[in-house]
Amino acid sequence: MTTALQRKLDAHVDALRACARCVNMHKPVVSGGAVVSKVMLVGQAPGTREPVAGKPFAWTAGKTMFGWFEKFCGVDEAQFRARIYMAAVCRCFPGKNATGGDRVPNEVEVQNCSGWLDAELTILKPELVIPVGKLAIRQFMQFEKLDEIIGKKFVAEFRGKKFDLIPLPHPSGASPWHRIEPGKSLLALAMKRICGHPAMRGVKLR
Ligand code: SF4
C-alpha cells in the first residue's frame, strides 16, 4: 500500500529530478528509489559516473563506502539502497576544475540545493543523519579536523529539525585519512555507532 508519506516523497523526488536552479549544473542525481527511511545519508556531490548510472555513489568511492556498511553492519549495497535515503549537499555534478579534479560546488549552488535537503528532513524526519565528507559534515556542524569528530555521535539541528548525527570521512581514494591511524580506528568506531543506532534496526538484517 502506498502511504501518504511515500506519495509525498515520490512527489519531492520527481520535482528534484527536474530541478534547474543552478546555471552551471545539469541533471540532478537522486536516490535510486524514493526510500522512506529513518536513516539519511548525505553525500557531497556526484562525480562523472553517477549521472550516467542514475544513482549516487555509483563508482569507486561508493564501493568503499558500501564495503564499510557490509563489513560493520551486515548491510550490502542493494539493502543499503533499498532502505536508506541518500541525499547530498549538491545533487548535480559540478564539472571539472581547469587543473583537474571535480569542482567544489560554490556557496550559491550549496544554498540553492539546501532547500531540497531541508524538504527531505521535513518529510522523512530522520532519527539518524550520516554526512559523508567535510563539505557534507559542515552543513550541520563546524570543526577543524576529522580526528575531532569521526567516531562520535552529535545531536544536530538543521533549520529547526533535530536528529542524531554520526559523520563519516569521504571514502574517496583521494584522501588516505580513513586508511591510516588514527583515521582507521576512528572510522571503525563511527561505523559501530551507526550500526548500533536504534534507527538502523529497520535497515539491518543481522
Ligand atoms: S545543484 Fe541542486 S539546486 Fe542546483 S540545479 Fe542541481 S538539484 Fe537544482
Side-chain angles (χ1 to χ4, degrees):
M1 190 180 72
T2 308
T3 63
L5 181 58
Q6 184 70 65
R7 281 196 293 275
K8 215 169 179 178
L9 190 63
D10 289 346
H12 167 85
V13 168
D14 285 347
L16 172 52
R17 256 185 241 284
C19 181
R21 274 180 209 162
C22 307
V23 285
N24 291 321
M25 294 285 203
H26 312 278
K27 198 170 177 178
V29 176
V30 297
S31 203
V35 182
V36 172
S37 177
K38 286 293 168 198
V39 184
M40 183 185 291
L41 183 115
V42 181
Q44 304 197 126
T48 50
R49 308 280 184 166
E50 281 74 13
V52 179
K55 56 187 178 184
F57 285 100
W59 206 242
T60 47
K63 275 198 181 69
T64 300
M65 186 186 75
F66 293 124
W68 296 343
F69 279 87
E70 181 142 23
K71 177 179 172 187
F72 290 97
C73 307
V75 174
D76 67 20
E77 180 177 344
Q79 289 160 357
F80 187 103
R81 290 190 185 280
R83 293 176 189 168
I84 293 180
Y85 189 86
M86 298 174 80
V89 176
C90 269
R91 313 308 168 101
C92 297
F93 171 51
K96 290 281 181 191
N97 284 318
T99 50
D102 293 353
R103 179 175 71 82
V104 177
N106 63 38
E107 279 181 25
V108 173
E109 291 160 345
V110 169
Q111 181 61 29
N112 284 348
C113 222
S114 70
W116 295 113
L117 180 59
D118 191 14
E120 285 151 351
L121 292 168
T122 300
I123 295 168
L124 290 171
K125 298 181 181 54
E127 291 163 13
L128 173 62
V129 172
I130 306 165
V132 180
K134 289 180 181 172
L135 181 68
I137 301 167
R138 289 208 166 100
Q139 304 312 303
F140 304 102
M141 63 186 294
Q142 293 309 311
F143 67 98
E144 291 294 322
K145 292 180 174 175
L146 287 175
D147 305 34
E148 298 161 8
I149 55 161
I150 302 298
K152 295 179 183 161
K153 184 182 86 169
F154 303 88
V155 176
E157 191 170 335
F158 186 90
R159 297 183 186 166
K161 292 165 268 289
K162 278 192 178 168
F163 40 80
D164 288 344
L165 190 85
I166 303 179
L168 287 178
H170 201 277
S172 139
S175 166
W177 188 90
H178 57 86
R179 289 194 299 270
I180 53 176
E181 295 298 353
K184 208 171 159 184
S185 298
L186 292 174
L187 168 65
L189 196 54
M191 288 307 306
K192 282 177 194 156
R193 285 196 192 283
I194 289 172
C195 304
H197 193 281
M200 285 294 287
R201 277 194 206 119
V203 174
K204 287 190 294 180
L205 288 182
R206 70 175 189 217

